[in-house]
Amino acid sequence: MSPYQAITLPLPAEIQDHIIDHLYDDLSSLKAGTLVCHAWLGTCHFHLFYTTLCHPGKPGRTIQDMILWSRTHPDVALYVRELFISGPALDILSIHSMDTVPEVIVEDIEQLLRQIPAIRSMSFIGIRLSSRMRQDETLAPTTIRTSLREPH
């Protein structure tokens, strides 16, 4: 037995968070951090999901997949602040052919916004927005906020 005994003191949560904050762009370390310590979960999720990408043309990354994900993981969906909905990279020649541009339904975006309440910004890149409504229909009043910003 060694005459020296190791003494371990818990590291304050603020210092743990500060250390994890330095891993903001290291996805593999952040994913591993979610498995290592329950106390690290919130900070790791903050960095992993702050900016979330949706690709309507890619299976597993569509708006419908995002809706399902946010419904089954509402605690994690709270960390999403920025949402990018992006189609394939478009060049100036392909922009004239709307057949290659993925379609996103406005009503699906509305549903997604209801399930991701902390979202602050949303960007649409290379997609076509459309609606399920018939041309003769009008929108009924809604209680959904009309701005992504918090009311003052």
Side-chain angles (χ1 to χ4, degrees), residues 6-72:
I7 299 173
T8 58
L9 299 173
L11 203 57
E14 296 83 8
I15 294 176
Q16 293 178 38
D17 288 345
H18 187 71
I19 293 168
I20 294 170
D21 285 343
H22 287 282
L23 301 173
Y24 70 93
D25 62 348
D26 186 346
L27 295 182
S28 61
S29 293
L30 290 169
K31 289 176 185 177
T34 65
L35 301 173
V36 170
C37 178
H38 191 287
W40 298 354
L41 200 58
T43 307
C44 290
H45 278 171
F46 173 81
H47 292 295
L48 285 169
F49 298 105
Y50 187 94
T51 300
T52 301
L53 305 173
C54 176
H55 297 283
K58 292 185 181 178
R61 302 293 293 182
T62 67
I63 291 287
Q64 291 299 324
D65 294 325
M66 289 288 300
I67 291 169
L68 178 62
W69 171 80
S70 63
R71 187 179 299 137
T72 56

Side-chain angles (χ1 to χ4, degrees), residues 55-133:
H55 297 283
K58 292 185 181 178
R61 302 293 293 182
T62 67
I63 291 287
Q64 291 299 324
D65 294 325
M66 289 288 300
I67 291 169
L68 178 62
W69 171 80
S70 63
R71 187 179 299 137
T72 56
H73 299 90
D75 54 326
V76 179
L78 290 172
Y79 291 98
V80 177
R81 297 295 188 276
E82 299 175 345
L83 179 62
F84 286 86
I85 301 176
S86 177
L90 297 176
D91 58 29
I92 196 67
L93 297 175
S94 65
I95 204 157
H96 298 292
S97 173
M98 292 304 282
D99 297 335
T100 61
V101 178
E103 179 180 63
V104 174
I105 308 296
V106 173
E107 292 83 359
D108 291 343
I109 294 172
E110 180 183 26
Q111 183 179 2
L112 187 60
L113 285 173
R114 286 183 180 154
Q115 293 176 204
I116 304 179
I119 197 166
R120 297 289 177 259
S121 72
M122 203 173 199
S123 298
F124 303 93
I125 305 161
I127 62 164
R128 181 171 38 120
L129 292 174
S130 62
S131 175
R132 289 188 191 98
M133 289 178 42

